[in-house]
Amino acid sequence: MAASTSESRNPSSSSSNPELIKGRYDIFLSFRGLDTRKKFTDFLYHALMHEGFQTFRDDDEIERGHVIKPELQKAIMNSKMSVIVLSENYANLTACLFELQTILQLCKKSDHFALPVFYEVDPGCIKEQSKNHDFGKKEVTIEKVKGWRAALKEVASMVGMVSQNQSDGYEAKFVEKIVVVLKRKLADKHMRLSDHLVSMDSRTKKVNSWLNDTSSKVGILLISGMGGIGKTTIAKVVFNSNHRGYDAACFLQNIIESAKGHNGLVCLQRQLLSTILGKEERKVNDIDDGCRRMEYVLTNKRVLLVLDDVDQMDQLSALAGQPDWFTPGSKIIITTRLESLMTADELYEVYKPEKLSTDDSLELFSWHAFGQKHPIQGHMDLIIKKVCAPL
């Protein structure tokens, strides 16, 4: 919740640049600056930034009363996960307690993930604080105190990381362990989708049914069709709904474009391996090396793999290899414009999404054009001509 004073003078730091709060963060840090500002939390913050995580920490150490600052609330809401550094004096600052409540409420309403880190304090002590702490403010209402106590009790009961149990006193070692956990959790997050999806239940029904097939074979599904018909969106929706049922899951986007870059397929292999393993993969030097590495890794995990926008067999060979690479029960979804991408003797299924109906097309167009379900009055005839025009 607080950071070093040198950071607060840095125009690139999070709290000194309110515009950054409008963006999407990977991690929000909630902590008591008095306890950890210049040591543990600073180590953790720089370790996360070094790993490429966009991390928000507040630089204001002034006790802010009984209302969480709007920019902090926005930062929490715009973060994928939160790290709550629970230290000896965390509960003594009402701003920390408001942050904690906001984080836990967000976890209940969304897929926001919170990781409690018990720094030089036992979870049992936090639980005792929830019972006995008077929070030291006469003007604090009974309702607020009840809410804070409930939040402390809840976070003390969550599975978290305890410095006294996991680091042998070495803070750098403890920070490394936290980073590994967060990397795995972030790799497990949903694919981002449009706010307004149309007719998705009917369009994903067949794919979900295929994914729910519990046979021991490795399943391969081709989602094929013209550009813009919704192949990638369908794949994202079913990935989000099903990926937690597998030992590991990976969604590789825009393979055609990504493969064009320098060592494009090798970079995609590294990305796939890093996601599956939950740590950065640097050992792959060429495509053959990547194939050998994937064969070794994939045979030990039941995997859901989505290869989005494929148009060459060499892309499939580099990223999916042979079905016997995969543990039985694994599933591979490939989106492509080419139904003939794979040879007839290979065992796979094909799903061709149908075009949206006129009504659904009109609704989708209206959301993108006007930000509402129905078109603005007076434009209907022109819109129908555009939406329903033959391709």
Side-chain angles (χ1 to χ4, degrees):
M1 190 182 63
S4 64
T5 53
S6 61
E7 283 284 320
S8 66
R9 292 191 295 268
N10 184 348
S12 65
S13 70
S14 56
S15 66
S16 60
N17 188 352
E19 290 301 313
L20 289 179
I21 298 172
K22 296 179 182 178
R24 180 104 177 146
Y25 293 94
D26 294 313
I27 298 166
F28 178 91
L29 288 179
S30 177
F31 62 100
R32 179 69 197 269
L34 180 67
D35 293 346
T36 67
R37 173 173 66 89
K38 292 182 178 180
K39 43 182 181 176
F40 175 75
T41 298
D42 194 52
F43 299 154
L44 178 59
Y45 173 79
H46 286 288
L48 293 171
M49 294 296 287
H50 179 73
E51 289 291 336
F53 297 131
Q54 293 301 311
T55 305
F56 182 95
R57 63 173 179 179
D58 183 30
D59 293 331
D60 186 4
E61 287 196 299
I62 300 173
E63 188 167 349
R64 293 179 295 273
H66 310 307
V67 179
I68 187 172
K69 293 199 307 186
E71 56 265 37
L72 289 183
Q73 195 163 17
K74 284 182 181 179
I76 294 170
M77 302 297 287
N78 287 327
S79 297
K80 298 174 184 177
M81 61 175 61
S82 296
V83 176
I84 307 164
V85 181
L86 294 149
S87 54
E88 183 180 1
N89 296 298
Y90 182 90
N92 291 337
L93 189 63
T94 55
C96 288
L97 296 170
F98 273 111
E99 286 180 9
L100 177 62
Q101 276 188 299
T102 302
I103 291 166
L104 296 180
Q105 288 168 4
L106 182 60
C107 288
K108 292 181 175 70
K109 295 177 182 178
S110 69
D111 63 350
H112 188 90
F113 170 75
L115 177 67
V117 174
F118 300 93
Y119 178 73
E120 295 186 351
V121 65
D122 189 87
C125 295
I126 301 296
K127 195 166 288 187
E128 284 300 313
Q129 286 182 1
S130 71
K131 298 177 184 177
N132 304 320
H133 197 3
D134 62 6
F135 301 101
K137 296 285 183 180
K138 293 181 180 179
E139 64 270 28
V140 172
T141 64
I142 295 175
E143 288 74 19
K144 285 181 180 178
V145 171
K146 286 182 178 178
W148 292 338
R149 284 178 173 162
L152 285 170
K153 183 178 180 181
E154 181 179 348
V155 76
S157 302
M158 294 170 63
V159 177
M161 315 243 342
V162 184
S163 63
Q164 295 165 329
N165 297 344
Q166 301 181 46
S167 63
D168 301 323
Y170 294 96
E171 290 196 351
K173 182 178 178 182
F174 187 42
V175 166
E176 287 177 6
K177 290 185 176 183
I178 294 171
V179 171
V180 168
V181 170
L182 294 174
K183 286 173 72 172
R184 288 174 179 167
K185 286 294 182 181
L186 278 174
D188 193 42
K189 284 297 179 179
H190 283 15
M191 301 299 297
R192 184 173 294 184
L193 290 161
S194 169
D195 291 334
H196 304 291
L197 300 178
V198 176
S199 191
M200 269 299 127
D201 287 344
S202 61
R203 304 187 90 204
T204 58
K205 184 177 180 180
K206 180 177 179 180
V207 184
N208 279 320
S209 177
W210 173 80
L211 282 170
N212 290 330
D213 177 8
T214 57
S215 64
S216 60
K217 68 180 181 179
V218 175
I220 302 173
L221 176 69
L222 227 62
I223 302 179
S224 67
M226 68 177 71
I229 202 168
K231 303 182 297 296
T232 298
T233 302
I234 291 169
K236 285 183 176 181
V237 170
V238 298
F239 181 87
N240 287 350
S241 300
N242 295 276
H243 70 100
R244 286 194 173 91
Y246 294 80
D247 297 328
C250 179
F251 194 117
L252 292 179
Q253 299 188 76
N254 304 319
I255 288 174
I256 293 176
E257 288 301 315
S258 299
K260 291 178 181 177
H262 177 65
N263 284 335
L265 288 177
V266 173
C267 291
L268 286 167
Q269 288 177 324
R270 289 175 182 159
Q271 182 183 342
L272 191 158
L273 286 165
S274 297
T275 302
I276 298 298
L277 293 169
K279 61 181 180 180
E280 188 174 0
E281 175 58 60
R282 298 177 179 177
K283 298 178 181 178
V284 175
N285 299 310
D286 54 47
I287 292 176
D288 289 341
D289 190 23
C291 288
R292 286 190 294 270
R293 180 74 174 138
M294 283 194 293
E295 183 176 7
Y296 173 76
V297 169
L298 294 171
T299 52
N300 298 316
K301 297 178 183 291
R302 185 170 166 269
V303 171
L304 173 60
L305 173 62
V306 178
L307 304 177
D308 171 51
D309 199 18
V310 177
D311 69 347
Q312 300 289 336
M313 274 303 301
D314 65 337
Q315 297 161 3
L316 285 183
S317 299
L319 300 172
Q322 301 296 323
D324 60 7
W325 284 12
F326 293 81
T327 297
S330 294
K331 300 283 188 177
I332 305 168
I333 297 174
I334 303 159
T335 72
T336 180
R337 299 187 184 191
L338 306 173
E339 185 182 342
S340 60
L341 179 68
M342 301 178 71
T343 58
D345 60 340
E346 293 180 270
L347 297 176
Y348 65 95
E349 296 188 39
V350 177
Y351 170 51
K352 300 179 184 179
E354 295 182 356
K355 297 180 185 177
L356 291 175
S357 67
T358 300
D359 288 343
D360 288 339
S361 297
L362 189 60
E363 179 182 342
L364 184 61
F365 178 85
S366 297
W367 279 120
H368 286 280
F370 308 115
Q372 60 186 45
K373 187 173 182 178
H374 302 290
I376 295 175
Q377 291 184 354
H379 296 76
M380 183 65 75
D381 291 343
L382 178 61
I383 290 169
I384 289 178
K385 287 180 181 179
K386 291 290 184 183
V387 171
C388 302
L391 297 175

